[in-house]
Amino acid sequence: MAACFCCFRRCWAGAGFQHVPLKELPLVVLDTGHMGNDVVIVKSGRRICGTGAALSNAPIVQDKAYFEMKVQSTGVWGLGLATRKANLNMLPMGSDSESWVLREDGTIYHNNQLLHKLGVTINEGDVLGATYDHIEFNFYLNGDSLQCPISGIKGTVYPVFYVDEGAILDVQFSEFYHPPPPGFDKIMFEQSLL
């Protein structure tokens, strides 16, 4: 018993504790290493303008992920998921087998096939959210579900955003405009336990 007390006393006296600094987790932002040739990324990796597409710097690895974008200026734009094999200079996205995208006209495309045509108009100032749980990919307009699930997405995917003809998009991977649906959270970097 005395040995336990001595150990406890040493720990609380500072002899047993060693400060282990925590690593600051990197932020999820638009990836300047995976963007189209004429894309401009500003505002600490949270605004995309110019012409072309950009992936986020983190894939979606957790069970349920949520991200958003705000239409700051209209034009040609899109939001969705893509693999690293997607051509980020070929617009509109959704034209190949490597991307699943909601376009500015309310259509959702993958492999150049129309998957859904939404009955809504998306305007400047609107916020689009997206959820992905490795089974379904869903979109939200100003916090309301658009009821257009996409399934069958395979492989490692990243959020993707594209712009053209003067469009400007602000992306949010945390500090959202609207709360994520229950069970969904911001995209997290995969971490090694070693």
Side-chain angles (χ1 to χ4, degrees), residues 10 20 38 44-45 54 78 81 88 109 116 118 124 128 131 133 139 147 150 171 189-190:
R10 273 186 289 174
V20 177
D38 296 321
S44 301
L81 295 175
L88 302 176
Y109 273 85
H116 294 282
L118 306 176
E124 201 168 282
L128 287 157
T131 58
D133 63 6
F139 295 98
Q147 303 296 322
I150 300 169
V171 302
F189 274 92
E190 184 175 31

Side-chain angles (χ1 to χ4, degrees), residues 66-88:
Y66 178 76
F67 58 96
E68 290 179 335
M69 65 151 237
K70 183 174 186 178
V71 181
Q72 291 293 356
S73 183
T74 57
V76 173
W77 56 263
L79 138 92
L81 295 175
T83 70
R84 284 236 169 121
K85 295 178 186 175
N87 182 345
L88 302 176

